[in-house]
Amino acid sequence: MNKTVYLILLFIFLLFIQVFVLNNINFLGYINPYLYISFVFFFPLKENKFQILFFSFLLGLFIDFFSDSGGIHALSITTIAYLRLFFVGVFFKKLPSDYGFFSLQTEAFGKVFNYIVTLTVIHHFILFAFINFSFQNFTSVLTNTLYSSIFTLVLFFLSNYIFTKEQ
C-alpha cells in the first residue's frame, strides 16, 4: 500500500476510534486511553518537521473539537511530535542520514519500549497538567498520567502485536 494512503487511513482510523470508542472509557475516574498518539510513532522520520507537526496538530485539533477540550490535545500531541526526533537520537542513536531507513519494527523491543513509554508519559503529563491547571491537583495529574499511560501502552502494544504482520 502506498505510504501516503496508509497515513491518511491511519489518521482517519485513529481519529474515529479515539472519538467514538476510547473517549467513552473513563474507568475509575483515572483511566482514559489515548491511542491516537500512535500516529506520531508510525509517521515516517524526516528532517523536515513541518509535515509531522502539521498533521499531529490537525489530529489533536480534531480530537479537541469532538471532545470539547479547548486545544489541549493539539498542544500535547504536537509537543511529542516535535520531541520525537530528539528521542530517536537518544534511544536509537540515529542520525538524520539514517531517517530514511528507520522503522520501529526493525529495532530492538527494549529501545522501542523506552521510546514509546517516554513519549506517552510526556504526552499524558502535558495533557493532564493542562486539564487540571493547578498545583493543588498535582497528585491528580500524576495519578492520571500514570494510570492512563499504562492503559494506553497496553492498548498500543496489544494492537501493534495484533495488526502487525510477521515478515
Side-chain angles (χ1 to χ4, degrees), residues 1-133:
M1 181 185 309
N2 186 2
K3 194 69 168 174
T4 306
V5 174
Y6 170 75
L7 288 173
I8 291 170
L9 291 175
L10 181 66
F11 184 94
I12 293 169
F13 174 75
L14 289 173
L15 175 66
F16 282 107
I17 200 78
Q18 184 66 46
V19 168
F20 295 117
V21 177
L22 299 178
N23 279 355
N24 296 318
I25 297 173
N26 194 7
F27 187 65
L28 298 176
Y30 295 112
I31 300 174
N32 192 2
Y34 297 103
L35 195 58
Y36 73 96
I37 65 172
S38 60
F39 181 78
V40 172
F41 305 140
F42 292 122
F43 200 88
L45 293 181
K46 296 180 182 173
E47 286 184 60
N48 182 3
K49 290 184 179 182
F50 178 75
Q51 287 180 333
I52 182 67
L53 291 176
F54 175 74
F55 289 117
S56 296
F57 177 76
L58 196 62
L59 180 60
L61 200 62
F62 283 138
I63 299 291
D64 285 324
F65 177 74
F66 287 109
S67 304
D68 194 27
S69 53
I72 55 176
H73 290 282
L75 171 72
S76 56
I77 194 170
T78 305
T79 303
I80 66 167
Y82 181 78
L83 293 174
R84 90 183 171 132
L85 287 181
F86 170 75
F87 286 111
V88 165
V90 168
F91 290 116
F92 302 108
K93 309 293 187 231
K94 299 294 181 188
L95 300 173
S97 59
D98 300 328
Y99 292 165
F101 307 107
F102 179 77
S103 174
L104 286 178
Q105 287 80 16
T106 59
E107 296 295 327
F109 178 75
K111 292 179 181 181
V112 172
F113 183 79
N114 290 337
Y115 169 73
I116 290 174
V117 166
T118 303
L119 288 178
T120 301
V121 169
I122 290 170
H123 171 271
H124 286 34
F125 182 77
I126 292 169
L127 182 73
F128 290 118
F130 277 95
I131 286 175
N132 291 309
F133 208 66

